[in-house]
PDB file of all heavy atoms in Angstrom:
ATOM      1  N   ARG A1311       3.619 -16.263 -18.017  1.00  0.00           N
ATOM      2  CA  ARG A1311       2.437 -17.134 -18.051  1.00  0.00           C
ATOM      3  C   ARG A1311       2.805 -18.448 -17.390  1.00  0.00           C
ATOM      4  O   ARG A1311       3.735 -19.126 -17.828  1.00  0.00           O
ATOM      5  CB  ARG A1311       1.962 -17.355 -19.493  1.00  0.00           C
ATOM      6  CG  ARG A1311       0.668 -18.148 -19.482  1.00  0.00           C
ATOM      7  CD  ARG A1311      -0.306 -17.654 -20.525  1.00  0.00           C
ATOM      8  NE  ARG A1311      -1.574 -18.326 -20.436  1.00  0.00           N
ATOM      9  CZ  ARG A1311      -2.412 -18.467 -21.433  1.00  0.00           C
ATOM     10  NH1 ARG A1311      -2.078 -17.947 -22.601  1.00  0.00           N
ATOM     11  NH2 ARG A1311      -3.563 -19.079 -21.280  1.00  0.00           N
ATOM     12  N   THR A1312       2.067 -18.796 -16.358  1.00  0.00           N
ATOM     13  CA  THR A1312       2.485 -19.916 -15.555  1.00  0.00           C
ATOM     14  C   THR A1312       1.280 -20.623 -14.982  1.00  0.00           C
ATOM     15  O   THR A1312       0.121 -20.334 -15.342  1.00  0.00           O
ATOM     16  CB  THR A1312       3.468 -19.422 -14.462  1.00  0.00           C
ATOM     17  OG1 THR A1312       3.909 -20.518 -13.692  1.00  0.00           O
ATOM     18  CG2 THR A1312       2.842 -18.407 -13.525  1.00  0.00           C
ATOM     19  N   ASP A1313       1.530 -21.572 -14.045  1.00  0.00           N
ATOM     20  CA  ASP A1313       0.407 -22.222 -13.401  1.00  0.00           C
ATOM     21  C   ASP A1313      -0.138 -21.333 -12.268  1.00  0.00           C
ATOM     22  O   ASP A1313       0.499 -20.362 -11.860  1.00  0.00           O
ATOM     23  CB  ASP A1313       0.874 -23.577 -12.814  1.00  0.00           C
ATOM     24  CG  ASP A1313       1.978 -23.382 -11.825  1.00  0.00           C
ATOM     25  OD1 ASP A1313       3.152 -23.202 -12.249  1.00  0.00           O
ATOM     26  OD2 ASP A1313       1.691 -23.339 -10.619  1.00  0.00           O
ATOM     27  N   ILE A1314      -1.306 -21.686 -11.762  1.00  0.00           N
ATOM     28  CA  ILE A1314      -2.005 -20.826 -10.797  1.00  0.00           C
ATOM     29  C   ILE A1314      -1.213 -20.681  -9.494  1.00  0.00           C
ATOM     30  O   ILE A1314      -1.008 -19.568  -8.989  1.00  0.00           O
ATOM     31  CB  ILE A1314      -3.406 -21.371 -10.523  1.00  0.00           C
ATOM     32  CG1 ILE A1314      -4.260 -21.220 -11.805  1.00  0.00           C
ATOM     33  CG2 ILE A1314      -4.085 -20.642  -9.357  1.00  0.00           C
ATOM     34  CD1 ILE A1314      -5.586 -21.955 -11.791  1.00  0.00           C
ATOM     35  N   ALA A1315      -0.714 -21.794  -8.934  1.00  0.00           N
ATOM     36  CA  ALA A1315       0.008 -21.731  -7.653  1.00  0.00           C
ATOM     37  C   ALA A1315       1.255 -20.857  -7.770  1.00  0.00           C
ATOM     38  O   ALA A1315       1.533 -20.041  -6.873  1.00  0.00           O
ATOM     39  CB  ALA A1315       0.365 -23.117  -7.169  1.00  0.00           C
ATOM     40  N   SER A1316       1.975 -20.967  -8.875  1.00  0.00           N
ATOM     41  CA  SER A1316       3.193 -20.182  -9.040  1.00  0.00           C
ATOM     42  C   SER A1316       2.870 -18.701  -9.171  1.00  0.00           C
ATOM     43  O   SER A1316       3.576 -17.830  -8.592  1.00  0.00           O
ATOM     44  CB  SER A1316       3.985 -20.633 -10.263  1.00  0.00           C
ATOM     45  OG  SER A1316       4.316 -22.005 -10.142  1.00  0.00           O
ATOM     46  N   ALA A1317       1.787 -18.388  -9.870  1.00  0.00           N
ATOM     47  CA  ALA A1317       1.377 -16.968  -9.986  1.00  0.00           C
ATOM     48  C   ALA A1317       1.027 -16.421  -8.621  1.00  0.00           C
ATOM     49  O   ALA A1317       1.421 -15.294  -8.245  1.00  0.00           O
ATOM     50  CB  ALA A1317       0.189 -16.845 -10.943  1.00  0.00           C
ATOM     51  N   GLU A1318       0.317 -17.198  -7.825  1.00  0.00           N
ATOM     52  CA  GLU A1318      -0.020 -16.756  -6.460  1.00  0.00           C
ATOM     53  C   GLU A1318       1.249 -16.495  -5.632  1.00  0.00           C
ATOM     54  O   GLU A1318       1.349 -15.524  -4.905  1.00  0.00           O
ATOM     55  CB  GLU A1318      -0.893 -17.815  -5.772  1.00  0.00           C
ATOM     56  CG  GLU A1318      -2.293 -17.936  -6.406  1.00  0.00           C
ATOM     57  CD  GLU A1318      -3.081 -19.177  -5.943  1.00  0.00           C
ATOM     58  OE1 GLU A1318      -2.470 -20.140  -5.442  1.00  0.00           O
ATOM     59  OE2 GLU A1318      -4.311 -19.154  -6.099  1.00  0.00           O
ATOM     60  N   MET A1319       2.226 -17.370  -5.785  1.00  0.00           N
ATOM     61  CA  MET A1319       3.456 -17.234  -5.003  1.00  0.00           C
ATOM     62  C   MET A1319       4.310 -16.056  -5.503  1.00  0.00           C
ATOM     63  O   MET A1319       4.993 -15.399  -4.685  1.00  0.00           O
ATOM     64  CB  MET A1319       4.272 -18.533  -5.060  1.00  0.00           C
ATOM     65  CG  MET A1319       5.501 -18.524  -4.177  1.00  0.00           C
ATOM     66  SD  MET A1319       5.136 -18.195  -2.450  1.00  0.00           S
ATOM     67  CE  MET A1319       5.346 -19.812  -1.763  1.00  0.00           C
ATOM     68  N   VAL A1320       4.260 -15.726  -6.804  1.00  0.00           N
ATOM     69  CA  VAL A1320       5.048 -14.578  -7.310  1.00  0.00           C
ATOM     70  C   VAL A1320       4.674 -13.340  -6.516  1.00  0.00           C
ATOM     71  O   VAL A1320       5.552 -12.565  -6.073  1.00  0.00           O
ATOM     72  CB  VAL A1320       4.779 -14.340  -8.800  1.00  0.00           C
ATOM     73  CG1 VAL A1320       5.417 -13.014  -9.235  1.00  0.00           C
ATOM     74  CG2 VAL A1320       5.344 -15.463  -9.664  1.00  0.00           C
ATOM     75  N   LYS A1321       3.394 -13.152  -6.277  1.00  0.00           N
ATOM     76  CA  LYS A1321       2.929 -11.952  -5.578  1.00  0.00           C
ATOM     77  C   LYS A1321       3.446 -11.925  -4.136  1.00  0.00           C
ATOM     78  O   LYS A1321       4.025 -10.939  -3.665  1.00  0.00           O
ATOM     79  CB  LYS A1321       1.409 -11.883  -5.612  1.00  0.00           C
ATOM     80  CG  LYS A1321       0.795 -10.752  -4.781  1.00  0.00           C
ATOM     81  CD  LYS A1321       1.195  -9.372  -5.309  1.00  0.00           C
ATOM     82  CE  LYS A1321       0.818  -8.303  -4.318  1.00  0.00           C
ATOM     83  NZ  LYS A1321       1.263  -6.974  -4.750  1.00  0.00           N
ATOM     84  N   LEU A1322       3.249 -13.008  -3.412  1.00  0.00           N
ATOM     85  CA  LEU A1322       3.653 -13.042  -1.997  1.00  0.00           C
ATOM     86  C   LEU A1322       5.159 -12.913  -1.871  1.00  0.00           C
ATOM     87  O   LEU A1322       5.674 -12.216  -1.005  1.00  0.00           O
ATOM     88  CB  LEU A1322       3.161 -14.334  -1.336  1.00  0.00           C
ATOM     89  CG  LEU A1322       1.655 -14.472  -1.188  1.00  0.00           C
ATOM     90  CD1 LEU A1322       1.285 -15.827  -0.611  1.00  0.00           C
ATOM     91  CD2 LEU A1322       1.092 -13.362  -0.289  1.00  0.00           C
TER      92      LEU A1322
END
Side-chain angles (χ1 to χ4, degrees):
R1311 185 141 185 205
T1312 181
D1313 60 280
I1314 292 168
S1316 302
E1318 291 168 340
M1319 185 57 105
V1320 170
K1321 174 64 192 176
L1322 292 176

